[in-house]
Amino acid sequence: MTIEARAPPSQFVAKLRRVLGGQAGWGGFALQILFVAALAWIGYEIVANARANLAAQRIASGFGFLSNTAGFGVSQSLIPYSESDTYTRVFFVGLVNTLVVSVIGIFFATLIGFLIGLGRLSPNWLLARIAGGYVELVRNLPLLFQILFWYLAVLAALPNPRQSISLFGSFFLSNRGFGIPKPVGTVGFEPFAIAIVVAIVGALLLRSYARRQLFQNGRLIKIWPYVLGLLIGLPLLATLVFGKPVTFEYPELKGFNFSGGSRIIPEFVALTLALSTYTAAFIAEIVRAGVQSVHKGQMEAGASLGLTRGNTLRLIVVPQALRVILPPLTNQYLNLTKNSSLAVAIGYPDLFSVFAGTTLSQTGQAIEIIAITMGVYFVISLVTSAIMSFYGWRIGRSMGA
């Protein structure tokens, strides 16, 4: 009785991996060309089918619509804009609004997240439980619900402009937003700005010198009086020599609303509060896990050197924990930026609302507008990741990794 040899198992996946990896000679090279050609053909068919459908519906294609007049207003614009401007201007208005709310949200989310995360590790029982309760409550509620809560239940409940809450007779809080004095530059503004830049650079140099002395010689240098003197003294000196850098235009109640000054619309406040507090709950857990990843002997070493708990965390534990914290922290920054598109629910004029919403509904150029919007969010994510990677590289280099 003869026994037939069993056929070897299929190695298709391994062969395909070698082919696509360029390790299969001329045959593999030809297969890669065929693969690229197939992808190009699929892409061509998709574009041709889309153009045929648009032509059948009598919808023009291309990017010529960007030079047409928009014809609609935007409730908040940090760059000059009027209804007679083009859709290109609308795009930049929405982009700037998205970037502003994202940057401010990331700043406050990081600040709150680090405080809550360190609070969860506090030996104070009450503080740790309050921080834990915040994390469990906020991160388990949908973000859209929190945006609507701040907008409808908190800010909409504020009084109307006639009964607005006045702070020092210059700041007015009402359901129309937060009215603040508008700074107007004078001839002394330029020297004042230069003095501030010089003071900040000097403060950073002092901090770098103090850190170098601490790590090289073990000397703890108290620099805050000099930093305070620089940050206050130089701008004050510029003001005394060149005069006031700015004057203020105050908001005044005229009729049923305020005129003059600057107004922070409630949609912006609600969105910033929701994004900051929601993302902070996740950042707090990232910070807690990062700090706990550092061996507890580091805290004991800091205490043996006579450092306080705060200085031990700031100088020893947190710098080591950052290497663990940075990758998931980057994800949270990207999530916050992308979640800002939920602003459309309350009418905040971000990129998605004014460009992928109003502009798309007016022009019908769905493919072009969606492609541009996707590209913008893609670029923002890549830039954010690059900045965080560079910061992580600096952290690793300073620690000798």
Side-chain angles (χ1 to χ4, degrees), residues 172-343:
F172 300 93
L173 184 62
S174 69
N175 56 11
R176 300 288 182 87
F178 189 37
I180 60 175
K182 180 181 180 181
V184 180
T186 64
V187 291
F189 177 76
E190 190 171 336
F192 183 79
I194 294 174
I196 288 181
V197 172
V198 172
I200 292 175
V201 172
L204 291 176
L205 290 176
L206 276 175
R207 178 178 178 272
S208 175
Y209 172 75
R211 287 177 63 87
R212 195 162 53 247
Q213 289 295 317
L214 177 64
F215 288 112
Q216 291 181 354
N217 305 321
R219 291 175 55 203
L220 184 60
I221 301 176
K222 186 181 293 184
I223 62 169
W224 68 265
Y226 306 104
V227 171
L228 204 59
L230 276 175
L231 294 177
I232 296 177
L234 281 182
L236 184 61
L237 181 62
T239 303
L240 292 175
V241 174
F242 297 99
K244 291 193 299 184
V246 292
T247 58
F248 291 95
E249 176 188 321
Y250 293 92
E252 295 180 2
L253 182 62
K254 291 183 178 179
F256 295 100
N257 205 351
F258 287 94
S259 66
S262 296
R263 185 169 67 96
I264 302 174
I265 59 176
E267 290 82 4
F268 173 80
V269 178
L271 184 63
T272 305
L273 284 172
L275 289 175
S276 302
T277 52
Y278 179 76
T279 310
F282 294 89
I283 292 178
E285 287 299 90
I286 293 171
V287 171
R288 181 176 68 88
V291 171
Q292 286 183 327
S293 70
V294 179
H295 195 276
K296 64 179 182 181
Q298 299 290 309
M299 289 292 293
E300 298 169 357
S304 67
L305 291 173
L307 296 176
T308 63
R309 178 180 174 81
N311 282 335
T312 304
L313 281 172
R314 184 171 61 87
L315 298 173
I316 298 176
V317 176
V318 171
Q320 297 181 69
L322 277 178
R323 300 175 65 179
V324 179
I325 290 173
L326 282 182
L329 186 64
T330 304
N331 286 336
Q332 293 304 319
Y333 288 172
L334 299 182
N335 287 338
L336 187 147
T337 304
K338 290 179 286 189
N339 286 337
S340 67
S341 60
L342 289 173

Side-chain angles (χ1 to χ4, degrees), residues 40-59:
W41 175 75
I42 293 173
Y44 171 78
E45 287 294 326
I46 291 174
V47 172
N49 187 51
R51 294 185 65 176
N53 289 334
L54 290 174
Q57 298 178 19
R58 297 182 180 180
I59 298 176

Side-chain angles (χ1 to χ4, degrees), residues 23-282:
Q23 302 174 5
W26 288 106
F29 184 70
L31 191 56
Q32 289 187 61
I33 291 178
L34 289 175
F35 183 70
V36 172
L39 286 180
W41 175 75
I42 293 173
Y44 171 78
E45 287 294 326
I46 291 174
V47 172
N49 187 51
R51 294 185 65 176
N53 289 334
L54 290 174
Q57 298 178 19
R58 297 182 180 180
I59 298 176
S61 59
F63 297 93
F65 74 96
L66 290 172
S67 59
N68 296 340
T69 302
F72 63 88
V74 177
S75 60
Q76 176 176 298
S77 174
L78 298 180
I79 59 176
Y81 173 79
S82 67
E83 295 183 4
S84 59
D85 283 321
T86 63
Y87 288 119
T88 304
R89 196 73 173 178
V90 172
F91 166 77
F92 284 110
V93 169
L95 177 61
V96 171
N97 286 343
T98 293
L99 293 177
V100 167
V101 78
S102 299
V103 170
I104 295 177
I106 285 173
F107 173 78
F108 284 110
T110 306
L111 183 65
I112 299 171
F114 267 78
L115 292 177
I116 297 295
L118 296 178
R120 290 205 69 179
L121 299 172
S122 171
N124 185 308
W125 183 87
L126 180 60
L127 180 60
R129 295 302 177 279
I130 292 175
Y134 170 87
V135 170
E136 295 301 329
L137 175 66
V138 174
R139 74 174 181 174
N140 286 301
L141 294 176
L143 176 56
L144 182 58
F145 169 80
Q146 296 189 40
I147 293 174
L148 295 176
F149 167 78
W150 285 109
Y151 185 62
L152 299 176
V154 177
L155 298 178
L158 291 173
N160 61 49
R162 286 182 176 277
Q163 283 88 36
S164 61
I165 301 171
S166 174
L167 303 174
F168 312 110
S170 303
F171 300 85
F172 300 93
L173 184 62
S174 69
N175 56 11
R176 300 288 182 87
F178 189 37
I180 60 175
K182 180 181 180 181
V184 180
T186 64
V187 291
F189 177 76
E190 190 171 336
F192 183 79
I194 294 174
I196 288 181
V197 172
V198 172
I200 292 175
V201 172
L204 291 176
L205 290 176
L206 276 175
R207 178 178 178 272
S208 175
Y209 172 75
R211 287 177 63 87
R212 195 162 53 247
Q213 289 295 317
L214 177 64
F215 288 112
Q216 291 181 354
N217 305 321
R219 291 175 55 203
L220 184 60
I221 301 176
K222 186 181 293 184
I223 62 169
W224 68 265
Y226 306 104
V227 171
L228 204 59
L230 276 175
L231 294 177
I232 296 177
L234 281 182
L236 184 61
L237 181 62
T239 303
L240 292 175
V241 174
F242 297 99
K244 291 193 299 184
V246 292
T247 58
F248 291 95
E249 176 188 321
Y250 293 92
E252 295 180 2
L253 182 62
K254 291 183 178 179
F256 295 100
N257 205 351
F258 287 94
S259 66
S262 296
R263 185 169 67 96
I264 302 174
I265 59 176
E267 290 82 4
F268 173 80
V269 178
L271 184 63
T272 305
L273 284 172
L275 289 175
S276 302
T277 52
Y278 179 76
T279 310
F282 294 89

